[in-house]
Amino acid sequence: MTGTVRRGGPRAAPAPGRSRRPRAARTGAALVGVVLTAAACGGAGAGTGAGRSTPAPSPADNAGRTAPTSAADDASVSASAPPGRCTRDRLDLSLGRVSAGAGNRYAPLVFTNTGPEPCSLRGHPGVTLIDSAGDRIGEPAERRGPNAPAVRLEPGGSAHAVLHTVAEGVTDEPCWKPAARVQAYPPGSTWALRTPAESFRVCGDVFEVRAVEPGKRP
């Protein structure tokens, strides 16, 4: 090769049948192999990245996340919410038939929606008995039992609260004098309604009222 001096005498001749490959050719082939290997590695990495799907979040990743509320969900909640409370000016009061059972007396105190729109009642009414002179008889009814869910009253719809006493002679306590009217404060109201007491009479010093329930009678 030009500019190169080989020490040690003349170069030996190649063995028969064995071709000599120039050093430049071997070097070029090696470089081509390196380039092809690098390209193959790069292509494999690019292909892997392009074909790789994003892993689905684990339950731990979703912990604490709240799904967004849609307008339909809001409408559903609004539709299920009870309407406004029934006020005295939109209610009519009546007393249902007295029923007897095992020495007890029950009568449904009925509230009817006379307004043009739905309203609701929830809880115990405040109930007292009134004589013909307008004076109260005995003590107000004692509230018994838990509050029931709010009762929706459509226009013309009714709800009732059960009045309870016992039959005469069940206890040693005497009966109260007959009442002319039943006075009731609807749940949440400070204004009272009145209705004829019919044949309802408190005996045994037991006078109780339960929370409002749907319908005109149990």
Side-chain angles (χ1 to χ4, degrees):
M1 296 177 68
T2 305
T4 302
V5 178
R6 182 177 181 84
R7 295 180 182 181
R11 179 179 301 174
R18 184 178 179 182
S19 64
R20 294 181 58 190
R21 188 177 183 181
R23 181 178 299 175
R26 292 199 302 271
T27 302
L31 291 176
V32 170
V34 171
V35 171
L36 291 177
T37 302
C41 292
T48 303
R52 183 183 302 161
S53 60
T54 303
S58 66
D61 295 333
N62 290 328
R65 296 182 182 177
T66 303
T69 302
S70 66
D73 293 336
D74 292 337
S76 177
V77 171
S78 300
S80 62
R85 179 175 59 85
C86 299
T87 54
R88 172 183 176 273
D89 58 319
R90 297 171 59 185
L91 289 172
D92 179 68
L93 182 69
S94 61
L95 188 66
R97 186 180 64 184
V98 177
S99 59
N104 294 284
R105 300 290 184 268
Y106 302 96
L109 189 63
V110 182
F111 298 91
T112 301
N113 180 11
T114 59
E117 297 180 354
C119 61
S120 64
L121 290 174
R122 183 176 186 273
H124 297 73
V127 184
T128 54
L129 298 180
I130 304 296
D131 64 16
S132 57
D135 297 325
R136 191 181 74 187
I137 301 173
E139 297 297 323
E142 184 177 357
R143 297 178 180 184
R144 287 290 187 181
N147 281 341
V151 178
R152 179 186 179 96
L153 277 69
E154 300 292 341
S158 299
H160 73 277
V162 175
L163 301 182
H164 171 241
T165 187
V166 297
E168 184 175 4
V170 170
T171 72
D172 294 335
E173 297 294 332
C175 295
W176 297 358
K177 69 177 183 179
R181 291 180 177 82
V182 176
Q183 176 177 280
Y185 291 87
S189 178
T190 57
W191 294 87
L193 299 166
R194 292 183 177 182
T195 188
E198 305 296 344
S199 61
F200 185 79
R201 185 182 184 188
V202 171
C203 291
D205 210 24
V206 175
F207 186 29
E208 300 171 343
V209 62
R210 294 190 175 275
V212 173
E213 301 178 71
K216 290 187 175 183
R217 62 186 63 198

